[in-house]
Amino acid sequence: MSKKAGEVRSGQVKISDAFWSQMQEKVIDVVIPFQEKVLNDEVPGVAKSHAIENFRIAAGLSQGEFYGMVFQDSDMAKWLEGVAYSLAVKPDSELEARADDIIEIIEKAQQPDGYLDTYFIVKEPERRWQNLHECHELYCAGHMMEAGAAYYEATGKDRLLRVVERLADHIISLFGPEGEKSHGIPGHQEVEIGLMKLYHVTGKEKYRDMARHFLEERGKNPDYFYEEKMKRGWQHWGQYSTDKLDVTYNQAHETVYEQKEAVGHAVRALYMYTAMADLAGADGDEKLYQACRTLWENVVNKKMYITGALGGNPEGESFSSNYELPNDMAYAETCASIAMVFFAHRMLEMEMDGCYADIMEKELYNSTISGMQLDGKKYFYVNPLECEPGVSGKLFGYRHSLPMRPGWYACACCPPNLVRLITSLGKYCWSENDSAIYSHLMIGQKAELEKAQVIVETSYPWEGKADYTIMPKTEEEFTLAIHIPGYVDFEREENCLRVNREILDAGKLLKKGYVYITRKWTVGDKVSLRFPLEVRRAYANQHVRENAGCVALLRGPMVYCFEGVDNGEMIQSLRIPKDLKAIPFTCEEGVLKGNVLLSIEGYRMVGSDELYSEKPPVKEKAKLTAVPYYTWANRGENQMRVWMQEE
């Protein structure tokens, strides 16, 4: 299935939104400078990064030893990509100059043949390209390609783009189906996304073809990584062994066309699915699209938490079995939710179906931004749906699931990933083709599209209210298609769609989650949407044993949770009544100021102090408070639960 609409660049959209503007401003004004200092080892008390110094050493500008993970370069690449998008949002000559200086160092570190990876340049140059399974050279290359493409689009400067083209050409010279080239594949998928980004920016088909090769080579020889290990006789992690490898971990067990279930490391899988969808759209590949669709259905309907989080198995940061979604032991890596945004976005380009936009919205408002503290200075790697102080982060099986966000990580993939997502938010808002413009997200903004300038004013996600003012750039008829969240019922009278003063029958205009309004637009035409945001209950599939008898609360795109700071100790003793009466209210003070919370008349079960008793607990009335999930763990260490027992 070929692309139905093209991507809009982030620079075409200026976010002006009560919710997202402050998020972008925080990332640009606080997080990017903070992370730059971390990458320069200038922040005491957090895990050392050394990423910039590694490039200086590789460039011959400093003396010293490589420090960090074998994939430490990727932190720098993602940060640079985030900087590129931030410059499109808010020009900053000083930040741009510092980024240019770093790019110059990267250029000097690049080897004459195009190779670029500081670990092997500095530490083990004789072992280049010998351990694709563990050493992530292709993964780092992919992130650097994404940074080069983004920086070129944002600034028009091609220095980093030329660096990554040389790197890509070097990779093409080594890998492929021809002659004596290696049939190796990435141990951690990402270069496929980077190559597709280069293809979109440069138009050079060799980069698209290389992305296709890596995707289609995967699974043809499930023993490739084992054969590679036996040939080289060493491994990067742990003591060398001749044991067989679990190739489901990096989705190398079958070809991409044969895989029907999401398995293995969640981020690897979702990066691969993103590249598959991008390539399917670019080439009009129906077979590849159907493979994407099969995997999408499995992820969304059997492997995804209600917050949008992905990865139920802490062993290997992996997808678990179908419906196996533990709340307090969830891995739910921030990067996996970010990758799901990428996947949904690429699927939307092929098919304007609200199911993709709904998931993109779920991820953006819940399990992505939950990865960052509200002040932007601390980060979750893992985003559980239940937290118990004294257990979470401490006991075996729960040590990965921390009750508070640390300042940084030795493996710091998530913080800069959040930077690049939030600064590039504009490109997820729209798609455009010859006949229509498609609004995917109800975010306040000014969008400069080919057919029109569109100004969106909204109080979403706290109110169901959005106004689109159209400034057409053509006298020809075209369509404005607006995504309507799946929870909105246009059969109800209070749901209202207008163009200027004319009320439209939204139900008749609704197709796969989008209302299609086709007309010759005049300057100042206004499309208005109004719908109530009610508190909704969600129940898990009965196969999800963790949530039997439980309910989760939602309002708009937000998933809510309960914290001990509002509800006292033992929140597991609280009960949500069947005749739910939840009153939304705006928090007026503290770190949650401006967020809509829920006040609920509920119950607390009070029982015996004995470990076991034959006397049943008694029910007492209690006033409960729920907060948006993304805000949890900002008011000290305390209990948290998303799924609550229903009365």
Side-chain angles (χ1 to χ4, degrees):
M1 179 181 286
S2 60
K3 284 189 178 184
K4 295 294 187 291
E7 181 178 79
V8 169
R9 297 189 308 276
S10 59
Q12 293 177 248
V13 180
K14 300 296 183 185
I15 303 296
S16 179
D17 181 90
F19 185 89
W20 285 107
S21 288
Q22 64 176 350
M23 196 78 69
Q24 281 196 333
E25 289 166 6
K26 177 172 56 186
V27 166
I28 292 169
D29 297 339
V30 176
V31 179
I32 285 177
F34 171 76
Q35 292 189 1
E36 183 180 3
K37 289 181 179 180
V38 171
L39 294 170
N40 270 305
D41 302 328
E42 295 173 352
V43 181
V46 304
K48 181 179 177 181
S49 169
H50 211 65
I52 293 177
E53 187 64 15
N54 286 338
F55 276 98
R56 290 194 182 102
I57 296 168
L61 302 174
S62 292
Q63 298 295 315
E65 297 293 328
F66 178 93
Y67 177 89
M69 297 286 186
V70 69
F71 47 82
Q72 205 79 347
D73 290 4
S74 63
D75 294 348
M76 168 66 73
K78 282 183 279 189
W79 180 82
L80 269 176
E81 185 183 354
V83 167
Y85 295 132
S86 79
L87 293 173
V89 173
K90 182 181 178 182
D92 182 334
S93 58
E94 292 183 6
L95 175 62
E96 186 173 343
R98 296 199 304 276
D100 288 343
D101 289 343
I102 292 171
I103 290 169
E104 183 177 357
I105 295 169
I106 293 171
E107 183 182 50
K108 289 179 179 178
Q110 187 168 35
Q111 302 299 284
D113 62 357
Y115 184 83
L116 182 63
D117 188 289
T118 66
Y119 177 87
F120 287 98
I121 292 171
V122 174
K123 196 166 185 175
E124 297 184 310
E126 73 282 2
R127 288 183 165 179
R128 301 189 333 176
W129 301 125
Q130 293 180 28
N131 190 344
L132 301 181
H133 182 246
E134 297 179 299
C135 288
H136 292 4
E137 291 157 281
L138 289 168
Y139 169 81
C140 290
H143 276 305
M144 197 63 75
M145 291 173 196
E146 289 200 79
Y151 205 78
Y152 173 71
E153 285 194 334
T155 67
K157 297 177 179 179
D158 68 352
R159 190 172 201 167
L160 186 57
L161 181 65
R162 286 186 280 112
V163 167
V164 296
E165 283 203 72
R166 289 194 294 273
L167 174 57
D169 291 345
H170 170 66
I171 290 168
I172 291 171
S173 74
L174 298 176
F175 298 92
E178 309 94 345
E180 298 300 315
K181 286 185 178 181
S182 169
H183 287 247
I185 55 175
H188 190 312
Q189 301 91 311
E190 159 59 33
V191 72
E192 303 91 338
I193 295 177
L195 287 163
M196 289 302 296
K197 290 279 183 75
L198 283 186
Y199 165 67
H200 293 312
V201 167
T202 67
K204 296 178 181 178
E205 294 183 359
K206 60 182 176 180
Y207 301 135
R208 181 200 62 195
D209 294 343
M210 191 72 238
R212 178 174 285 279
H213 168 75
F214 279 136
L215 288 170
E216 293 192 332
E217 188 67 21
R218 193 166 214 89
K220 284 185 177 179
N221 177 12
D223 290 328
Y224 174 80
F225 290 125
Y226 179 71
E227 293 168 0
E228 178 192 60
K229 182 173 76 164
M230 298 301 291
K231 179 180 179 181
R232 68 173 180 267
W234 60 272
Q235 63 191 51
H236 181 80
W237 303 97
Q239 186 175 356
Y240 178 75
S241 76
T242 58
D243 293 344
K244 283 281 190 178
L245 301 171
D246 176 13
V247 290
T248 61
Y249 173 71
N250 51 24
Q251 300 81 39
H253 59 299
E254 295 175 319
T255 69
V256 295
Y257 300 107
E258 295 170 310
Q259 295 183 36
K260 309 300 181 187
E261 181 180 351
V263 296
H265 189 272
V267 177
R268 283 170 164 85
L270 291 163
Y271 280 173
M272 182 177 80
Y273 305 161
T274 298
M276 289 166 61
D278 193 1
L279 180 62
D283 280 0
D285 189 330
E286 180 68 23
K287 182 181 178 183
L288 192 55
Y289 165 75
Q290 290 299 334
C292 292
R293 183 74 201 188
T294 296
L295 291 163
W296 173 276
E297 292 291 340
N298 180 251
V299 170
V300 171
N301 294 321
K302 296 181 180 179
K303 303 267 176 121
M304 178 179 283
Y305 286 94
I306 195 167
T307 58
L310 298 143
N313 185 1
E315 185 177 0
E317 305 176 334
S318 300
F319 288 109
S320 192
S321 304
N322 289 339
Y323 303 113
E324 184 61 21
L325 295 167
N327 296 313
D328 53 359
M329 297 180 69
Y331 204 79
E333 184 179 345
T334 303
C335 284
S337 291
I338 292 169
M340 194 66 188
V341 174
F342 301 160
F343 184 25
H345 180 228
R346 291 304 182 189
M347 293 297 282
L348 265 175
E349 290 180 341
M350 289 186 285
E351 184 180 10
M352 292 301 151
D353 190 325
C355 72
Y356 305 123
D358 283 336
I359 293 299
M360 192 161 66
E361 182 180 83
K362 178 190 287 286
E363 302 290 355
L364 287 169
Y365 284 100
N366 296 288
S367 60
T368 55
I369 56 176
S370 63
M372 183 170 64
Q373 192 160 285
L374 292 176
D375 65 6
K377 294 183 179 179
K378 294 184 178 182
Y379 309 89
F380 273 143
Y381 194 105
V382 171
N383 297 271
L385 282 76
E386 183 176 334
C387 176
E388 180 67 32
V391 175
S392 300
K394 293 186 178 180
L395 299 188
F396 178 78
Y398 301 90
R399 290 177 189 147
H400 63 286
S401 181
L402 303 179
M404 296 291 288
R405 298 169 180 84
W408 201 251
Y409 295 88
C411 176
C413 52
C414 299
N417 224 355
L418 273 170
V419 167
R420 67 178 184 145
L421 174 72
I422 293 171
T423 52
S424 65
L425 181 64
K427 74 177 183 179
Y428 301 105
C429 292
W430 297 90
S431 298
E432 186 170 14
N433 62 22
D434 291 340
S435 61
I437 54 178
Y438 299 87
S439 169
H440 306 308
L441 297 168
M442 220 171 291
I443 293 174
Q445 61 191 276
K446 180 188 286 186
E448 291 291 346
L449 308 173
E450 289 186 14
K451 296 176 186 62
Q453 179 191 85
V454 184
I455 300 169
V456 184
E457 298 173 284
T458 180
S459 47
Y460 201 69
W462 308 127
E463 293 183 87
K465 176 181 177 183
D467 296 312
Y468 291 71
T469 301
I470 314 300
M471 306 295 208
K473 298 177 181 178
T474 175
E475 295 181 359
E476 299 297 319
E477 180 180 272
F478 66 88
T479 298
L480 169 64
I482 301 174
H483 170 242
I484 306 300
Y487 61 81
V488 176
D489 181 4
F490 267 127
E491 297 298 321
R492 300 180 55 167
E493 292 182 4
E494 57 263 51
N495 294 328
C496 185
L497 174 67
R498 295 174 182 262
V499 174
N500 301 324
R501 295 184 178 181
E502 179 187 0
I503 298 177
L504 304 183
D505 187 336
K508 291 183 178 178
L509 300 175
L510 190 66
K511 179 183 177 183
K512 288 190 174 182
Y514 286 77
V515 288
Y516 287 76
I517 306 168
T518 303
R519 58 189 283 143
K520 288 186 177 181
W521 300 88
T522 59
V523 174
D525 279 348
K526 181 176 287 189
V527 178
S528 299
L529 277 168
R530 300 290 185 272
F531 51 90
L533 290 187
E534 298 177 334
V535 178
R536 312 186 313 279
R537 295 191 237 206
Y539 300 93
N541 186 294
Q542 291 302 295
H543 286 96
V544 184
R545 55 195 176 88
E546 287 273 333
N547 299 330
C550 292
V551 63
L553 302 184
L554 306 90
R555 183 176 184 269
M558 295 293 187
V559 176
Y560 280 77
C561 68
F562 293 77
E563 288 192 280
V565 66
D566 303 304
N567 299 288
E569 296 180 354
M570 295 177 60
I571 58 176
Q572 67 270 22
S573 69
L574 302 178
R575 297 292 182 270
I576 305 298
K578 290 187 180 296
D579 57 339
L580 176 67
K581 294 176 182 175
I583 301 173
F585 68 98
T586 302
C587 184
E588 300 293 345
E589 58 184 12
V591 294
L592 303 190
K593 184 177 180 180
N595 284 272
V596 172
L597 314 187
L598 305 179
S599 177
I600 301 159
E601 296 295 331
Y603 300 98
R604 182 182 296 277
M605 305 305 293
V606 180
S608 170
D609 289 336
E610 298 176 12
L611 182 57
Y612 303 105
S613 172
E614 295 184 9
K615 294 180 180 179
V618 297
K619 184 169 66 174
E620 294 182 355
K621 288 185 177 181
K623 190 167 186 177
L624 315 182
T625 300
V627 302
Y629 171 77
Y630 88 93
T631 68
W632 85 276
N634 276 276
R635 297 173 292 167
E637 184 174 328
N638 67 140
Q639 280 187 299
M640 182 277 292
R641 285 170 71 107
V642 170
W643 290 96
M644 301 291 286
Q645 289 284 328
E646 191 173 45
E647 180 194 13

